[in-house]
Amino acid sequence: MVPTTDCCELSVLDLVPFGLADPVHRYFALRLSPPNWPDWKPGQFLMIRPHSFGQEIPWGRPLGICLIRPQHLICFFQVAGRGTELMAKLRPHDPVQVWGPLGNGFAVEPDTPTLLLAGGMGIVPFIGYVAQHPKAWNVSMLFGHRDPLECYPVDSINEHIPVDTLRETVPGDLDNFIFTLQERIKEYASQNGLILACGPLPFLKTVQSFAREYHARMQLSLENKMACGVGACLGCVVRTTDAWPDPAHRNAPVQCCTQGPVFWADQIELA
């Protein structure tokens, strides 16, 4: 069932830069006034459109939700284009239009050993996941990244669960990361654990292939480009497999924004 979507205007509380030692790749934690979203689940996202977009940028931008508390909503983003370039100039009290919470969230199995696999900005949805997990001692994370570690909100996760980090700086680092992914997935599959992954497409293709090889129970959170966030524009579709639960939509395109962004790995094909 698709959750109810609320459109509201929030205010910027602050915008905190991360990784100042690496100005080429700019990262920011955006803190907004809290919306009334009591049913938000980790893994869901929102669409944001600052008033500063004006007529230049008609569409909003999707952001993973880090955390929602009574005092604030926190998101995290990397400057990657015109929209996020303007967002990097937001100041306290600036108004932004937000709609959400959108999509579905990650599975939570408190008594099951759970492995989080994150690549780069794929770390974002796991901040709320570990903060709200009822038995965080059953959860661990493997995080692969290219930019310096201080560019990412790793401390927000490390205060709840152990995090192993691997940075790619030379070609051999990538081989080592892929080998480590394979070994971790094999380990958790052998104990019928739960594996959750989020990151760029090549990363997700790799972990999905290992999930198939070892018959692992895995969910993937996709980072597809989105325009509307509510299933109207059909710009974020992904193709399903024979394992899709609805027979009418097997081996067919479905919207990532409404049917995802979290999918069971055996139920979708990654292009």
Side-chain angles (χ1 to χ4, degrees):
M1 182 176 65
V2 178
T4 301
T5 299
D6 177 40
C7 184
C8 55
E9 184 172 288
L10 305 179
S11 297
V12 174
L13 299 179
D14 54 40
L15 185 69
V16 179
F18 275 59
L20 291 178
D22 186 13
V24 176
H25 303 96
R26 289 177 293 160
Y27 297 80
F28 294 89
L30 174 62
R31 198 164 62 97
L32 302 173
S33 56
N36 183 24
W37 295 348
D39 298 325
W40 162 75
K41 296 178 177 60
Q44 291 183 298
F45 68 101
L46 58 79
M47 298 294 295
I48 182 170
R49 190 176 185 279
H51 286 206
S52 58
F53 277 14
Q55 296 182 353
E56 178 187 359
I57 303 177
W59 297 102
R61 293 293 183 267
L63 292 182
I65 302 171
C66 290
L67 201 61
I68 298 179
R69 290 290 185 259
Q71 65 272 29
H72 56 220
L73 179 157
I74 301 176
C75 294
F76 193 85
F77 69 92
Q78 178 184 6
V79 174
R82 287 190 305 154
T84 46
E85 186 71 48
L86 287 173
M87 287 170 53
K89 299 176 182 178
L90 288 170
R91 296 293 179 264
H93 309 297
D94 282 352
V96 297
Q97 186 181 28
V98 171
W99 54 104
L102 301 170
N104 54 25
F106 288 111
V108 179
E109 300 177 2
D111 296 314
T112 301
T114 302
L115 174 64
L116 310 181
L117 302 175
M121 289 295 291
I123 195 173
V124 170
F126 293 130
I127 295 172
Y129 188 86
V130 299
Q132 295 191 187
H133 198 283
K135 295 184 179 180
W137 56 85
N138 280 333
V139 184
S140 63
M141 170 179 275
L142 176 62
F143 175 48
H145 58 102
R146 289 179 176 173
D147 292 326
L149 194 61
E150 59 266 24
C151 292
Y152 306 94
V154 179
D155 290 343
S156 297
I157 293 179
N158 205 23
E159 66 182 13
H160 297 283
I161 66 169
V163 180
D164 291 329
T165 65
L166 292 172
R167 184 183 179 190
E168 181 187 349
T169 56
V170 298
D173 293 335
L174 179 58
D175 294 337
N176 183 41
F177 182 51
I178 292 174
F179 174 77
T180 306
L181 285 171
Q182 182 178 16
E183 290 300 302
R184 292 288 180 87
I185 292 170
K186 181 179 179 181
E187 174 191 352
Y188 276 76
S190 68
Q191 51 188 312
N192 199 34
L194 175 65
I195 305 174
L196 311 177
C198 183
L201 185 58
F203 168 80
L204 294 180
K205 284 184 174 181
T206 298
V207 299
Q208 185 188 49
S209 68
F210 290 142
R212 289 171 173 167
E213 180 178 355
Y214 298 112
H215 306 287
R217 295 192 308 120
M218 177 184 290
Q219 287 187 323
L220 307 175
S221 178
L222 307 191
E223 296 182 342
N224 290 23
K225 292 183 178 180
M226 300 178 188
C228 71
V230 294
C233 68
L234 303 178
C236 63
V237 295
V238 62
R239 193 165 191 84
T240 65
T241 68
D242 288 333
W244 189 257
D246 179 5
H249 293 93
R250 287 174 184 161
N251 300 298
V254 296
Q255 298 100 317
C256 181
C257 58
T258 56
Q259 300 299 316
V262 178
F263 297 91
W264 287 100
D266 64 332
Q267 294 182 0
I268 58 169
E269 294 288 351
L270 297 177

